[in-house]
């Protein structure tokens, strides 16, 4: 029998203030996203090869939405609990409230961009659609699916995800549906006409993102499995590594022989690629955590991205750990970053700014976004009121 970790809870409390490696991964996904959404506008410091691929291909910018959805799925109620005590009606009601807030934010973004005549690429989501609508749609659809199916279905969410992903891919490949999403009825790629035709990339890519979300729920269930021995962590790490390796193989197979990865339509290749990408990031954080566990002592705990004050609300006034602050108010962090990105783009012509001023603007922008988020954390303020 494997020897228990004698001091796992004293030396290295993986469940104190959440799980450090999971918190680190989720915070870094948000932090990188916020930096990149402004950096991409400065052509002299952000190479073209990292820009979004609107039809097919892989790039850094293509990972943003997928990583955001995957990271949220990891901590979904279906990931954390074997038995959800809320009734199905209560779960749908709670989801409707949170989704309605995202829809309000999406409508607000749509109104502001229209009011300021802010340039928005229609090829990304469509004429009226945006990321907030996609996130609301995914949350609502996945909650309804989990509520309709038996409670035990959450344990096999990867099966549901596979069915959704494969079915959607068959529709894209066999019915020329992919061509219609890309070029539309007018065969020119325009986004005119009724609501569905004007927003076809955003609407139908939500199906692929639902599949990705459910895969994320399955990975989340693996992460939240109780671990009291070193062998439990070894098994969890082994399973995550297997997921990363197998999904990496299937990404290559699908991209080479079935359908090239497309963020625009969120096809099956893109979904599996996002699983590979995010699982590798999660594994990297896990490695750092396990190394810290080995070198921690009862007197000095090594928790990546956190100090001892993070888990103590009374002493949080002395704490300004960035990763902990981001995790507490993720939506605020993302929202304020989007708002300030728009402000910077309206204030200056980012495309013609030299490298040094561009880096200065990016540094100032990051400082303001992170500073405001840390300020809320210091005063223990949560912007999530629903």
């Amino acid at each position: 029998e494997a020897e228990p970790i004698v001091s796992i809870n004293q030396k290295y409390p993986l469940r104190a203030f959440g799980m450090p490696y999971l918190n680190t991964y989720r915070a870094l996904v948000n932090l990188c996203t916020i930096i990149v959404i402004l950096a991409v506008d400065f052509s002299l410091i952000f190479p073209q090869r990292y820009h979004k691929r609107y039809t097919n291909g892989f790039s850094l910018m293509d990972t943003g939405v997928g990583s955001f959805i995957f990271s949220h799925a990891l901590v979904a109620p279906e990931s954390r609990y074997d038995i959800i005590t809320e009734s199905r009606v209560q779960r749908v009601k709670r989801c409707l409230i949170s989704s309605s807030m995202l829809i309000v934010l999406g409508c607000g973004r749509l109104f502001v961009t229209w009011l300021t005549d802010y340039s928005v690429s229609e090829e990304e989501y469509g004429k009226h659609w945006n990321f907030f609508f996609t996130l609301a749609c995914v949350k609502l659809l996945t909650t309804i699916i989990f509520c309709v199916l038996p409670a035990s279905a959450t344990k096999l969410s990867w099966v549901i995800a596979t069915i959704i992903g494969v079915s959607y891919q068959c529709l894209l490949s066999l019915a020329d549906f992919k061509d219609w999403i890309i070029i539309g009825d007018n065969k020119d790629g325009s986004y005119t006409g009724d609501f569905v035709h004007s927003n076809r990339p955003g609407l139908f890519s939500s199906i692929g993102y639902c599949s990705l979300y459910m895969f994320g729920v399955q990975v989340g269930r693996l992460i939240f499995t109780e671990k009291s021995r070193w062998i439990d962590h070894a098994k969890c790490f082994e399973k995550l590594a297997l997921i990363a390796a197998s999904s990496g193989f299937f990404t290559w197979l699908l991209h080479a022989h079935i359908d090239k990865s497309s963020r625009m339509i969120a096809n099956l290749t893109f979904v599996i690629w996002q699983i590979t990408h995010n699982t590798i990031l999660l594994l990297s954080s896990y490695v750092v955590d396990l190394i810290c566990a080995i070198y921690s002592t009862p007197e000095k705990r090594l928790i990546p991205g956190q100090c001892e004050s993070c888990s103590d609300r009374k002493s949080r006034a002395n704490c300004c750990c960035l990763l902990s602050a981001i995790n507490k108010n993720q939506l605020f962090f993302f929202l304020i970053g989007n708002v300030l990105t728009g402000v910077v783009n309206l204030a200056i012509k980012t495309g013609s700014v030299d490298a040094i001023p561009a880096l200065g603007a990016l540094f100032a922008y990051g400082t303001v976004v992170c500073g405001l988020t840390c300020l809320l954390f210091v005063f223990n303020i949560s912007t999530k009121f629903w």
Side-chain angles (χ1 to χ4, degrees), residues 358-379:
L359 288 171
L362 192 62
F363 178 78
Y365 155 85
T367 301
V368 172
V369 175
C370 294
L372 290 173
T373 307
C374 285
L375 193 64
L376 293 181
F377 183 70
V378 167
F379 290 101

Side-chain angles (χ1 to χ4, degrees), residues 206-223:
S206 297
I207 301 173
Y209 287 123
C210 283
S211 176
L212 177 61
Y213 185 92
M214 290 192 169
F215 275 120
V217 167
Q218 190 70 59
V219 175
R221 290 185 63 83
L222 173 62
I223 292 171

Side-chain angles (χ1 to χ4, degrees), residues 313-350:
R313 292 182 179 274
K314 293 181 179 179
S315 59
R316 188 168 290 176
N318 300 319
C319 170
C320 58
C321 294
L322 180 60
L323 300 187
S324 297
I326 293 172
N327 274 311
K328 184 174 178 62
N329 287 296
Q330 287 195 34
L331 187 57
F332 170 81
F333 183 74
F334 181 76
L335 184 60
I336 197 67
N338 273 266
V339 171
L340 290 181
T341 297
V343 170
V344 172
N345 276 282
L346 290 172
I348 59 177
K349 294 181 179 180
T350 52

Side-chain angles (χ1 to χ4, degrees), residues 59-313:
S59 78
L60 175 65
M61 287 291 290
D62 287 334
T63 64
V65 180
S67 297
F68 206 89
I69 287 177
F70 190 87
S71 68
H72 276 67
L74 293 178
V75 294
E78 294 82 8
S79 301
R80 290 177 287 170
Y81 310 115
D82 284 328
I83 300 175
I84 299 177
T85 55
E86 289 181 316
S87 68
R88 285 177 167 83
V89 174
Q90 288 175 321
R91 288 164 63 188
V92 172
K93 183 179 178 180
R94 177 168 51 82
C95 181
L96 283 172
I97 294 173
S98 60
S99 297
S100 64
M101 295 306 302
L102 292 169
I103 292 172
V104 168
L105 291 174
C107 290
R109 185 183 187 278
L110 179 63
F111 175 73
V112 170
T113 54
W114 169 81
L115 188 66
T116 59
D117 197 25
Y118 189 79
S119 177
V120 178
S121 176
E122 293 184 349
E123 288 83 0
E124 187 171 358
Y125 293 105
K127 190 173 183 179
H128 312 103
W129 204 265
N130 58 56
F131 168 74
F132 293 108
F133 293 142
T134 295
L135 190 57
C137 190
V138 169
K139 285 177 65 69
L140 191 56
L141 287 175
T142 52
T143 299
I144 291 173
I145 291 171
F146 280 128
C147 287
V148 170
L149 296 175
S152 58
T154 57
K155 298 179 180 180
L156 295 173
S157 60
W158 70 271
V159 176
I160 306 170
T162 303
I163 293 172
I164 294 173
V166 171
S167 301
Y168 180 50
Q169 184 59 54
C170 289
L171 181 63
L172 291 171
S173 301
L174 302 179
D176 294 328
F177 195 54
K178 177 181 177 180
D179 293 336
W180 177 79
I181 293 176
I182 294 174
I183 63 177
D185 291 333
N186 301 326
K187 309 298 182 182
D188 60 357
S190 61
Y191 295 91
T192 57
D194 58 31
F195 180 80
V196 174
H197 188 266
S198 298
N199 301 281
R200 54 190 188 276
L203 280 168
F204 294 104
S205 65
S206 297
I207 301 173
Y209 287 123
C210 283
S211 176
L212 177 61
Y213 185 92
M214 290 192 169
F215 275 120
V217 167
Q218 190 70 59
V219 175
R221 290 185 63 83
L222 173 62
I223 292 171
F224 279 96
T225 301
E226 189 66 42
K227 305 173 189 68
S228 58
R229 303 176 301 172
W230 284 109
I231 191 65
D232 297 329
H233 289 282
K235 287 180 179 179
C236 179
F237 188 88
E238 181 183 0
K239 290 177 181 178
L240 287 173
L242 182 61
I243 291 171
S246 58
S247 59
F249 169 75
F250 280 111
T251 299
W252 167 80
L253 186 67
L254 290 167
H255 186 75
H257 301 287
I258 304 298
D259 192 11
K260 295 185 182 298
S261 174
S262 174
R263 178 209 51 80
M264 179 183 182
I265 58 178
N267 59 356
L268 185 59
T269 309
F270 173 80
V271 169
I272 302 301
W273 172 46
Q274 288 305 295
I275 297 170
T276 308
H277 167 75
N278 286 280
T279 308
I280 290 173
L281 293 179
L282 194 59
L283 276 169
S284 302
S285 297
Y286 204 173
V287 168
V288 174
D289 267 24
L290 293 178
I291 292 173
C292 288
I294 294 171
Y295 289 99
S296 288
T297 63
E299 294 78 23
K300 185 174 180 59
R301 295 173 180 171
L302 301 176
I303 305 179
Q306 300 177 13
C307 66
E308 293 182 3
S309 299
C310 284
S311 56
D312 185 0
R313 292 182 179 274

Side-chain angles (χ1 to χ4, degrees), residues 28-42:
L28 288 178
V29 164
N30 279 269
L31 183 60
C32 291
T33 301
I34 288 303
I35 293 172
V36 168
I37 60 174
L38 179 60
V40 68
D41 296 320
F42 295 102

